[in-house]
Amino acid sequence: MNAMPELLDAAVRLVAIVAAFLVLPLVAGQMEHKVMAHMQARLGPMYAGGFHGWAQLIADGVKFVQKEEVIPAAADRRVFALAPGVALIPYLVVMVVIPVGPGLVGVDLDAGLFFVLAVMGVGVLGSIMAGWSSGNKYSVLGGMRSAAQLMSYELPLVLAASSVAMAAGTLSLPGIVEAWQWWWLPWQAIGGVVFFVAGLAELRRPPFDMPIAESEIIMGPMTEYTGIRFALFMLAEYAGIIVLSALTGVLFLGGWQGPFLPGPVWMLLKVFLLVFVVVWLRVSYPRLREDQLQKLAWTGLVPLALVQLALTGVVRVLAG
């Protein structure tokens, strides 16, 4: 008798998560069009559909649907077709454990933070599979750069997230939000910056887009992709931005906590504020060289993350 309410609850949560997964990345893409148009005086995205270029995203979707699906003769067809899905699906899985309000979470895992960090690392396999299966040396080079970048920036990302888990005394994401206090903002600020920057590098967002670097190696591991498959890679990038912004909000900005407004509203405000920062960084900084990219990770972010861990340990001992 009790099975039906549980099944209904699970179905509602699943539908809500899939809807958020399909809608929020598109909103982030539209936001990037408009912010870049204003910051860089790009006129094109301001015309589609009339008022403020509201139909630009629709025009992009129609363009991708109309493009011919081309698979290179030398490609491994099966791996080539699977790669966009492998790049995209991990972000859908991660959204299942990200809380947007008190009790508003797909699944509250005791080791939710560990689960999120493990699943996010799978996404890079999509780039590696795309590069290797394309039969194109430029694509292979882009895939190798993606793997090297992930290995470099995974360590500071995990160390920064570990600091928050140590402070909260739990790996549960809702538990971390519930333990969060306003004075954590200065206390965990170093870890927040390290986490956000390392996350941008793992997403290969400018100025960390060396695996793509269209001016050097065309479009990196996605060089041979066209049409819907290419659009899925773009959707994976924007889904990654939403997930990174949501995780940063949950771990370092208090998630749904805030005065006056409902919890989910605060969560969305924090997410899209961070999305704006992601776009702002894209239009403000030039691409790093490969040596600068690795130097920032190993001589910049890793020491800062270790400092944050030490500071968290000291404060926890004194407070205890």
Side-chain angles (χ1 to χ4, degrees):
M1 294 294 292
N2 295 328
M4 286 303 296
E6 293 179 1
L7 288 174
L8 181 61
D9 180 68
V12 170
R13 290 172 185 263
L14 179 61
V15 170
I17 291 167
V18 172
F21 179 73
L22 295 175
V23 172
L24 293 182
L26 298 180
V27 175
Q30 181 78 342
M31 183 176 174
E32 181 168 59
H33 277 124
K34 303 310 167 190
V35 172
M36 291 181 65
H38 283 292
M39 286 188 170
Q40 296 185 325
R42 297 186 177 198
L43 297 180
M46 307 304 288
Y47 280 92
F51 177 72
H52 209 68
W54 65 269
Q56 179 62 49
L57 203 63
I58 298 174
D60 287 342
V62 172
K63 175 186 71 175
F64 284 124
V65 169
Q66 290 180 335
K67 286 196 172 186
E68 182 183 2
E69 291 285 346
V70 177
I71 299 179
D76 184 322
R77 300 180 69 90
R78 183 175 299 176
V79 178
F80 187 86
L82 286 175
V86 175
L88 179 62
I89 294 302
Y91 297 118
L92 172 60
V93 176
V94 167
M95 281 188 172
V96 173
V97 298
I98 296 179
V100 296
L104 297 177
V105 59
V107 180
D108 182 6
L109 298 178
D110 291 336
L113 181 58
F114 177 79
F115 174 82
V116 163
L117 296 175
V119 173
M120 284 182 68
V122 175
V124 73
L125 290 178
S127 295
I128 297 173
M129 290 169 61
W132 177 82
S133 66
S134 295
N136 180 317
K137 60 184 178 182
Y138 294 105
S139 298
V140 173
L141 180 58
M144 292 173 63
R145 284 184 171 185
S146 295
Q149 195 160 311
L150 174 73
M151 292 175 63
S152 299
Y153 283 89
E154 188 73 11
L155 181 58
L157 185 84
V158 172
L159 291 175
S162 301
S163 172
V164 180
M166 183 191 300
T170 178
L171 288 171
S172 166
L173 295 181
I176 290 173
V177 177
E178 291 167 359
W180 188 87
Q181 303 292 330
W182 68 266
W183 55 273
W184 285 27
L185 283 174
W187 180 28
Q188 298 293 327
I190 297 174
V193 172
V194 170
F195 184 88
F196 192 67
V197 172
L200 286 179
E202 288 204 359
L203 292 176
R204 302 175 298 281
R205 285 288 299 181
F208 306 102
D209 59 337
M210 285 302 297
I212 307 281
E214 67 274 5
S215 60
E216 301 173 30
I217 51 176
I218 314 175
M219 200 61 185
M222 300 175 291
T223 297
E224 299 294 348
Y225 282 85
T226 60
I228 293 297
R229 291 193 178 100
F230 184 84
L232 289 177
F233 276 114
M234 294 294 100
L235 182 62
E237 179 178 337
Y238 290 119
I241 293 172
I242 292 293
V243 167
L244 173 63
S245 300
L247 286 175
T248 305
V250 166
L251 298 177
F252 298 97
L253 300 179
W256 67 74
Q257 294 197 42
F260 308 121
L261 299 175
V265 175
W266 271 113
M267 185 64 185
L268 284 175
L269 287 174
K270 292 172 183 179
V271 167
F272 281 101
L273 175 63
L274 291 169
V275 171
F276 173 78
V277 173
V278 171
V279 180
W280 190 3
L281 291 173
R282 172 176 180 174
V283 300
S284 301
Y285 289 93
R287 180 182 302 123
L288 298 178
R289 296 196 313 265
E290 190 67 28
D291 61 312
Q292 294 172 329
L293 188 87
Q294 300 295 337
K295 184 176 181 179
L296 175 63
W298 296 105
T299 67
L301 298 186
V302 170
L304 284 175
L306 292 174
V307 167
Q308 178 67 77
L309 270 176
L311 177 62
T312 300
V314 169
V315 174
R316 285 281 292 176
V317 169
L318 293 177

